[in-house]
Amino acid sequence: QSGCGCRGDAGLAHVGCRAEAAAHKARSGDMLGWQKCMTCGQIFTGQMGLRLAEVWWSSVKDFDEENEERQYAGNVLAQALARQGRYAECEAKCRELRAVQRRQSGPDSLIAMQTARLLGNALCLQDKHTEAEVVYREVLPKMRKQLGAEHPDTLSALMTLGNVFAAQDKLDDALATYQDVRTIQQRLLGANDPATMTTVMNIASLLVLQCKFQESEVLSRELLGVQQRVLGAEHPDTLTTNYNLCVELHAQRKYSEAEARCRELLAVSQRVMGAEHPHTI
């Protein structure tokens, strides 16, 4: 049974033993044993993570519906299902938990906010973007109030809402959301952080879709400078930004620079990925 950093796929961890140890720790109020390896401290993944979540849920599902451990175990099971690609089952579990939370603990509790995020993510992964938007619009104000606008979970939820907007072609909403994320990321993480660079790439891509090539060019040049310095000229993200810049230049009829960059990019792609790689072709 795989599922943690210290054992990997070696098959040395047994679900029954882990469940017994986790139950023992839970009796003293420590519920992390159901989720983390006690040796390496990393989250259980794969079948180990799922089986432990199922055992935990089975042990608490008959508790009173408002019991905190029951709600926590339900969230862990939903998360484990999502990690296995079982998004419809994750969605169903989250909806079941939310129905109880709305009656008992209220939608403003931390557990309820976690359930909402899990539901929103499961909906996104099933391309149910309209429903996901409703969930994220509801939970984000609560997260800002409870956790703060700059908390990593709040920022992650805001980024996901931007992705939801983009998936529905709500480009203005997506752009405004990504720009809000970027402002916070640059203040907290700096321009060199991978998360910040990803957000800038998203903004530039949206500007291209809106045919705002001059604005996207400026952003791509800025991003390319950071990527070349931090990631290196041959990093896939750097190559992607360089290609996007070629497109933006061509769209503005800056053919000479676009051609020069394309030739340079082609030479690097052939050297790094090979002449027959789809990106090279």
Side-chain angles (χ1 to χ4, degrees), residues 164-226:
V164 167
F165 285 141
Q168 298 176 87
D169 292 327
K170 296 182 177 181
L171 302 185
D172 288 336
D173 289 332
L175 185 60
T177 303
Y178 287 149
Q179 287 170 336
D180 287 343
V181 172
R182 182 193 182 194
T183 298
I184 297 172
Q185 287 175 330
Q186 286 187 315
R187 184 168 64 251
L188 296 181
L189 307 174
N192 294 351
D193 188 87
T196 308
M197 287 189 275
T198 297
T199 303
V200 175
M201 289 180 72
N202 288 343
I203 294 172
S205 296
L206 285 179
L207 290 170
V208 168
L209 290 175
Q210 294 180 310
C211 297
K212 298 178 180 179
F213 300 113
Q214 188 172 2
E215 293 178 55
S216 62
E217 177 195 344
V218 171
L219 207 55
S220 291
R221 287 186 187 277
E222 176 187 332
L223 176 60
L224 187 61
V226 174

Side-chain angles (χ1 to χ4, degrees), residues 78-96:
Q79 191 171 48
L81 289 167
R83 286 181 178 142
Q84 292 294 300
R86 294 161 62 174
Y87 305 125
E89 293 172 74
C90 173
E91 176 191 346
K93 175 57 64 180
C94 289
R95 291 191 184 280
E96 172 192 330

Side-chain angles (χ1 to χ4, degrees), residues 113-125:
M113 285 189 283
Q114 183 189 37
T115 307
R117 286 189 63 206
L118 288 168
L119 174 58
N121 188 56
L123 291 168
C124 288
L125 291 168

Side-chain angles (χ1 to χ4, degrees), residues 1-132:
Q1 301 286 346
S2 64
C4 68
C6 65
R7 289 173 173 78
D9 294 322
L12 298 177
H14 189 270
V15 173
C17 297
R18 285 293 177 183
E20 184 177 342
H24 177 74
K25 287 178 70 70
R27 284 192 286 272
S28 62
D30 183 357
M31 293 181 283
L32 288 178
W34 290 106
Q35 303 172 73
K36 290 187 176 182
C37 173
M38 299 174 198
T39 304
C40 68
Q42 297 185 57
I43 295 288
F44 284 118
T45 58
Q47 286 300 311
M48 173 62 76
L50 178 59
R51 287 292 296 119
L52 279 175
E54 289 173 338
V55 171
W56 189 14
W57 175 252
S58 294
S59 70
V60 300
K61 65 180 181 180
D62 293 328
F63 288 4
D64 188 89
E65 284 188 336
E66 65 182 1
N67 179 273
E68 185 175 357
E69 184 181 355
R70 184 185 187 277
Q71 293 185 44
Y72 192 18
N75 277 354
V76 171
L77 177 56
Q79 191 171 48
L81 289 167
R83 286 181 178 142
Q84 292 294 300
R86 294 161 62 174
Y87 305 125
E89 293 172 74
C90 173
E91 176 191 346
K93 175 57 64 180
C94 289
R95 291 191 184 280
E96 172 192 330
L97 293 169
R98 274 168 65 84
V100 174
Q101 290 161 354
R102 290 181 185 281
R103 294 196 305 269
Q104 304 290 348
S105 61
D108 294 343
S109 70
L110 293 177
I111 291 178
M113 285 189 283
Q114 183 189 37
T115 307
R117 286 189 63 206
L118 288 168
L119 174 58
N121 188 56
L123 291 168
C124 288
L125 291 168
Q126 296 176 87
D127 294 329
K128 298 179 179 180
H129 301 297
T130 302
E131 295 176 68

